[in-house]
Amino acid sequence: MDSEEINDESDHDDQNSPGYYTRSKRRKLNKKQLEVATVSSPDLTERKRKNPIMFVPSEILQTVFKYVSHHELSGSIRLVNRRFKINAENVLNLAFKKIEKNLNVLIKNAEVSLAYTQDDMEIKCVSKLLNMLEILKVQYSIVMSTIWRYVYNEYYRTNRSCMYGGLLIDTHNIFLWKFVHYPNLLYAPAVVKDYALPQEVTRIIQMTKTFCVHFDKVNEEALHNCLVYSGCKVIDILDCAKFIQKLVLDEKVTSDTFVARYNYFFQNSWFIGLPISVTKEMEWNQKQRMMHMRLRRVVLAHNDMFLQQAQYERELILRPGPTIRIKKPGNNVYTGYGDVMDTFFYYGVMNDGAYIQKFHLDEDNDEDEVDEEVQNQAGNGPHANVPRNNSEEDIFYQIAHLGFRMNIEVRCPLSYAPLKILEKLDTNQQDILKKKHKTKGPTGISIVFECEGASYPRLPTIYEYHFKPKLL
């Protein structure tokens, strides 16, 4: 990325050099020529040093930048000078915020179209387009939960950055342009092959993961007390999950303090922290970044699995008599793992089809065959009195196979509260927060993961994680 320029200073011949630098004598000028040179010299210097575009007002300069791709703005133009940097970043930040508005408008239009459409094939095409918009809306919320405190933060002072993911913005705009002008290019792959996505959506999903990890590592981890600046970022990420059970056990907002207790339950998911021997040392801000990444992966995978199931059920309702059979989502499983110092993490999500295949294999069997098999096994052999597996007599059968619960306790200054809390504040409270020059107070987040299904393979069912930064 950084280029190094090496200038050779040996501009003279070493053999003929008298030991010092020489230059030609200055030619004498008469009085008239001297006056002309004295008047014109500053003007020439000013013209050489100042480029005319530097005198253009910022509004016009930003209008010119709109004709350049956001990828070039973030990767090239933003690095020219300070003035270009300020105006390019302003264009990038506004462009990303505009994506959310466009997605919301198109989602409403697609829902209205479905209400007035009668043709079965047209319903299928519009529903596929609506599915893509919902996927992009989830991806957008994940990016916003990662960057808003450093890009769009109006509640307290922190290290400022920008939405430098120009290629991500460009890909969104390409998709939106095709959606408005050539929607057939988007829904055609999904109509031919169920659950297939166009190239733009697939790239956005991948770039979202990459960008969030890069932003955490480059922009946030480098801060001296990054947990304090990021505030309740854990809750911002968890609030992006659309198909979970969330209980607000306690939530108190005072003039300068935020205290809350939440309970999140992820269905068909697991999260296990297994103690191991220390393999490598890691600072606490790196551990925080890894936890944010881990939770983000779980949320994205959970949304992907259950959003696909919800979209399938919606299409069944919209198309009661389909001309082409509506294919059920395939069995999908997502797993992730990794070690951080003295803990090995294993987490994942599976959809309903994979869950049924994994834990309820006898549901598709005929009832008579099951009864006959049980009768043949009962009363025979030395283990006749042992409780049957997966029966009401088996104590482990009462434990859920999958699903983990998160109990979160938060205590922090009001400025560091989750985004949804800050948006609900009245105008006076928001103005008070904006006028504060420095935020003081303890910041602590305690998370307890409970995964009862881990008792089957004799793994730990509880893992505790605590964020305890130093006071600023």
Side-chain angles (χ1 to χ4, degrees):
M1 296 291 293
D2 299 333
S3 59
E4 182 179 1
E5 183 178 356
I6 301 176
N7 296 321
D8 187 5
E9 297 182 353
S10 57
D11 294 334
H12 56 276
D13 189 0
D14 293 335
Q15 297 178 355
N16 300 327
S17 176
Y20 52 89
Y21 290 94
T22 60
R23 61 181 180 181
S24 59
K25 293 183 179 181
R26 185 175 181 179
R27 184 165 55 90
K28 292 183 179 181
L29 302 176
N30 56 32
K31 185 176 180 181
K32 185 176 181 180
Q33 291 176 335
L34 184 62
E35 291 178 356
V36 174
T38 305
V39 174
S40 61
S41 180
D43 297 338
L44 292 175
T45 305
E46 189 70 17
R47 291 176 184 176
K48 290 181 180 179
R49 291 183 179 179
K50 297 292 185 179
N51 194 307
I53 197 172
M54 299 304 297
F55 297 98
V56 174
S58 297
E59 294 79 6
I60 298 178
L61 191 61
Q62 293 181 17
T63 304
V64 174
F65 286 169
K66 291 180 182 179
Y67 290 92
V68 184
S69 67
H70 296 91
H71 183 51
E72 293 179 351
L73 278 179
S74 60
S76 301
I77 296 178
R78 188 169 62 96
L79 308 178
V80 173
N81 53 42
R82 186 174 182 274
R83 189 161 188 264
F84 275 38
K85 179 178 182 295
I86 294 174
N87 289 278
E89 289 181 352
N90 190 26
V91 174
L92 290 169
N93 294 340
L94 293 176
F96 187 72
K97 289 283 287 186
K98 189 177 179 181
I99 291 175
E100 183 182 19
K101 298 179 182 179
N102 293 334
L103 289 176
N104 291 333
V105 171
L106 293 179
I107 288 175
K108 291 181 180 179
N109 293 339
E111 292 174 347
V112 172
S113 299
L114 287 174
Y116 290 94
T117 302
Q118 301 295 330
D119 183 70
D120 179 70
M121 181 55 66
E122 188 175 353
I123 292 176
K124 181 177 182 179
C125 296
V126 176
S127 63
K128 296 301 181 183
L129 292 174
L130 181 58
N131 295 347
M132 298 173 194
L133 293 173
E134 291 174 343
I135 293 173
L136 295 186
K137 187 70 180 295
V138 171
Q139 303 296 320
Y140 180 90
S141 64
I142 287 291
V143 176
M144 185 59 69
S145 67
T146 303
I147 69 173
W148 79 265
R149 294 181 181 271
Y150 307 95
V151 179
Y152 306 102
N153 192 349
E154 299 179 353
Y155 303 100
Y156 63 95
R157 296 187 178 185
T158 184
N159 290 44
R160 289 292 176 179
S161 181
C162 76
M163 177 55 193
Y164 51 79
L167 187 59
L168 182 61
I169 299 175
D170 288 335
T171 310
H172 273 95
N173 290 337
I174 293 173
F175 172 86
L176 296 175
W177 185 85
K178 286 185 177 181
F179 189 97
V180 175
H181 296 88
Y182 301 99
N184 59 299
L185 299 178
L186 298 176
Y187 64 70
V191 171
V192 175
K193 184 179 180 181
D194 289 322
Y195 306 106
L197 296 174
Q199 181 181 4
E200 291 79 10
V201 177
T202 305
R203 292 183 64 192
I204 290 173
I205 293 174
Q206 183 60 41
M207 283 190 292
T208 296
K209 300 177 182 178
T210 306
F211 174 78
C212 291
V213 171
H214 182 271
F215 192 93
D216 285 350
K217 186 174 183 179
V218 175
N219 295 83
E220 187 176 38
E221 185 184 346
L223 300 180
H224 176 64
N225 218 339
C226 53
L227 173 60
V228 175
Y229 292 113
S230 64
C232 299
K233 185 175 178 179
V234 171
I235 300 176
D236 290 329
I237 294 174
L238 294 176
D239 286 340
C240 296
K242 304 300 181 184
F243 301 93
I244 63 172
Q245 299 175 12
K246 178 183 178 180
L247 296 178
V248 181
L249 304 178
D250 186 19
E251 200 173 65
K252 295 181 181 179
V253 177
T254 63
S255 59
D256 56 355
T257 308
F258 173 73
V259 180
R261 291 189 301 122
Y262 300 105
N263 183 283
Y264 296 87
F265 179 75
F266 286 78
Q267 183 183 359
N268 293 3
S269 308
W270 63 92
F271 191 98
I272 300 170
L274 181 65
I276 59 175
S277 58
V278 179
T279 56
K280 55 184 177 180
E281 296 294 333
M282 183 175 291
E283 297 181 358
W284 72 272
N285 53 354
Q286 291 178 301
K287 294 175 63 177
Q288 173 197 342
R289 173 175 61 85
M290 296 299 294
M291 180 56 70
H292 288 162
M293 180 195 70
R294 202 172 294 120
L295 293 178
R296 197 160 44 226
R297 288 180 176 178
V298 172
V299 170
L300 283 171
H302 198 273
N303 284 342
D304 183 29
M305 302 287 184
F306 287 88
L307 180 60
Q308 194 177 72
Q309 180 66 26
Q311 293 171 348
Y312 164 73
E313 295 174 357
R314 179 178 61 194
E315 191 171 352
L316 289 178
I317 297 174
L318 294 173
R319 302 171 59 196
T323 55
I324 302 176
R325 185 178 67 89
I326 304 174
K327 187 178 179 181
K328 208 175 173 184
N331 300 340
N332 297 324
V333 180
Y334 170 82
T335 58
Y337 58 90
D339 60 298
V340 177
M341 289 188 65
D342 58 347
T343 307
F344 180 83
F345 293 96
Y346 180 62
Y347 51 93
V349 185
M350 64 173 59
N351 64 355
D352 290 339
Y355 181 85
I356 293 174
Q357 184 182 24
K358 179 71 175 178
F359 299 105
H360 299 278
L361 297 176
D362 55 345
E363 284 192 355
D364 296 331
N365 296 336
D366 186 74
E367 294 182 358
D368 296 334
E369 295 179 359
V370 174
D371 293 339
E372 182 180 358
E373 184 178 353
V374 172
Q375 291 176 2
N376 292 336
Q377 292 180 355
N380 297 329
H383 303 288
N385 297 326
V386 177
R388 298 189 307 274
N389 189 26
N390 290 352
S391 68
E392 295 181 357
E393 303 170 7
D394 187 0
I395 187 173
F396 286 107
Y397 181 69
Q398 301 175 8
I399 302 176
H401 291 284
L402 287 180
F404 74 89
R405 193 177 306 275
M406 294 178 59
N407 297 306
I408 302 180
E409 295 183 2
V410 179
R411 184 179 184 85
C412 65
L414 182 58
S415 301
Y416 303 148
L419 180 60
K420 291 185 177 180
I421 299 297
L422 297 176
E423 290 177 341
K424 294 179 182 178
L425 298 178
D426 54 37
T427 307
N428 294 331
Q429 288 178 312
Q430 292 183 359
D431 292 338
I432 293 174
L433 289 179
K434 295 176 184 178
K435 292 178 181 179
K436 283 187 176 181
H437 296 284
K438 190 173 183 180
T439 302
K440 296 182 180 180
T443 300
I445 303 177
S446 177
I447 308 177
V448 179
F449 297 86
E450 298 180 1
C451 185
E452 298 180 353
S455 60
Y456 288 101
R458 303 298 190 268
L459 295 174
T461 58
I462 296 179
Y463 172 73
E464 297 184 4
Y465 195 83
H466 301 278
F467 294 98
K468 291 183 179 179
K470 299 178 182 179
L471 295 178
L472 287 178

